[in-house]
């Protein structure tokens, strides 16, 4: 079985000087759960090549982050991500959209990423996403013309969480609002920044970075144990 992980290439904010990119533990925690089951994983990004890491997420006190950050093979995959055009989506049973604010700029309107998600889903695979990475699902249309998330229960980074981290002035939209506008049934935890996932058939989404392991575990359970 192969898994495809989607990461952002975008690393700048409109005003803030700090750099964004993928949120590291949304990648490493998911990756670690899959690696322990010997799952083959590929990393793709909208442009291919280097995947920037949000500097605020580079927490090397997190043992999992440190282990992968110091792993040359993992860093090589991160610096040489594949282009969507090089991907045959029929090779994958699961696609995972990792988050980080950068995803809000280069995921939503990317037709190639939408094609990958659509194909995996329509071949009875699983589509998964976390936090800001859920914006990669906003405009995925299935063969019948309906949006993938229409009438589905999903979660993702909430307006409250965006406000609490003081990035409201930087983001191009509120993910929570866009999910609702596109017909999804948005849910979230009562308390911000706690682990929370939502599952609707073969669609699994996580609210924030604390949810990555649970998404991976639930996906493996669905794929292998049912």
């Amino acid at each position: 079985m192969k898994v495809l992980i989607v990461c952002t290439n975008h690393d700048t904010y409109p005003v803030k000087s700090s750099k964004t990119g993928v949120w590291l533990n949304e990648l490493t925690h998911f990756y670690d759960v899959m690696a322990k089951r010997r799952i083959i994983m590929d990393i793709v990004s909208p442009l291919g090549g280097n995947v920037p890491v949000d500097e605020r997420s580079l927490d090397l006190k997190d043992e999992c982050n440190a282990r992968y950050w110091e792993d040359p093979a993992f860093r090589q995959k991160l610096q040489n991500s594949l282009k969507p055009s090089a991907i045959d989506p029929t090779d994958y049973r699961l696609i995972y959209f990792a988050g980080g604010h950068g995803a809000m700029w280069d995921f939503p309107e990317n037709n190639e990423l939408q094609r990958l998600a659509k194909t995996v889903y329509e071949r009875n695979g699983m589509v998964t996403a976390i936090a800001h990475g859920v914006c990669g699902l906003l405009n995925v249309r299935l063969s019948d013309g309906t949006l993938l998330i229409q009438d589905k229960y999903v979660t993702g980074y909430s307006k409250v969480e965006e406000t609490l981290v003081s990035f409201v002035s930087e983001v191009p939209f509120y993910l929570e609002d866009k999910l609702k506008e596109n017909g999804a049934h948005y849910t979230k935890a009562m308390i911000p920044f706690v682990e929370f996932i939502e599952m609707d058939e073969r669609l699994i989404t996580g609210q924030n970075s604390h949810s990555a392991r649970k998404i991976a575990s639930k996906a493996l359970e669905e794929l292998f144990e049912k």
Side-chain angles (χ1 to χ4, degrees):
M1 192 189 94
K2 292 178 73 176
V3 165
L4 185 63
I5 300 174
V6 187
C7 296
T8 183
N9 294 119
H10 190 92
D11 69 352
T12 59
Y13 289 107
V15 177
K16 287 183 184 289
S17 60
S18 59
K19 294 295 186 181
T20 184
V22 70
W23 196 265
L24 188 58
N25 77 341
E26 292 177 15
L27 174 58
T28 60
H29 289 192
F30 178 92
Y31 198 97
D32 191 51
V33 173
M34 293 287 166
K36 286 175 178 174
R37 291 290 292 267
R38 300 177 184 269
I39 303 296
I40 298 169
M41 289 171 280
D42 290 326
I43 296 177
V44 65
S45 63
L47 301 175
N50 185 56
V51 171
V53 174
D54 190 302
E55 57 190 34
R56 294 176 304 129
S57 75
L58 199 56
D59 174 15
L60 300 186
K61 293 178 184 175
D62 178 317
E63 181 275 331
C64 186
N65 277 352
R67 180 155 38 88
Y68 284 104
W69 191 247
E70 293 160 8
D71 179 349
F74 179 80
R75 291 287 293 277
Q76 183 79 3
K77 289 178 82 168
L78 209 55
Q79 292 162 7
N80 297 277
S81 66
L82 301 170
K83 292 182 178 180
S85 58
I87 298 293
D88 179 353
T90 64
D91 289 342
Y92 300 90
R93 291 283 306 284
L94 184 150
I95 186 169
Y96 173 68
F97 288 81
H101 276 100
M104 301 188 81
W105 282 272
D106 62 358
F107 279 12
E109 306 301 330
N110 190 293
N111 293 328
E112 291 185 297
L113 296 182
Q114 293 167 26
R115 174 184 62 86
L116 297 178
K118 167 185 174 288
T119 304
V120 170
Y121 189 78
E122 292 190 336
R123 288 175 57 84
N124 290 315
M126 300 202 71
V127 173
T128 64
I130 187 168
H132 293 99
V134 179
C135 72
L137 309 182
L138 282 169
N139 299 309
V140 176
R141 286 195 181 272
L142 303 177
S143 294
D144 63 5
T146 62
L147 288 168
L148 169 65
I149 62 171
Q150 187 175 318
D151 293 325
K152 298 282 201 318
Y153 285 89
V154 302
T155 188
Y157 210 69
S158 69
K159 290 172 70 173
V160 171
E161 288 167 326
E162 205 71 81
T163 302
L164 289 172
V165 297
S166 303
F167 274 76
V168 171
S169 62
E170 299 294 317
V171 296
F173 56 86
Y174 280 122
L175 177 57
E176 178 178 337
D177 287 348
K178 284 288 187 183
L179 289 167
K180 292 173 181 176
E181 286 173 22
N182 286 16
H185 301 293
Y186 178 83
T187 66
K188 62 184 176 184
M190 294 292 290
I191 302 170
F193 306 116
V194 298
E195 179 188 84
F196 183 80
I197 71 168
E198 186 63 79
M199 180 170 171
D200 195 324
E201 297 179 338
R202 288 176 291 106
L203 177 64
I204 304 175
T205 47
Q207 184 175 333
N208 52 54
S209 62
H210 298 290
S211 311
R213 286 189 181 278
K214 193 168 185 178
I215 292 172
S217 298
K218 188 63 179 174
L220 288 173
E221 178 186 323
E222 292 295 310
L223 288 168
F224 287 116
E225 296 171 18
K226 288 195 172 182

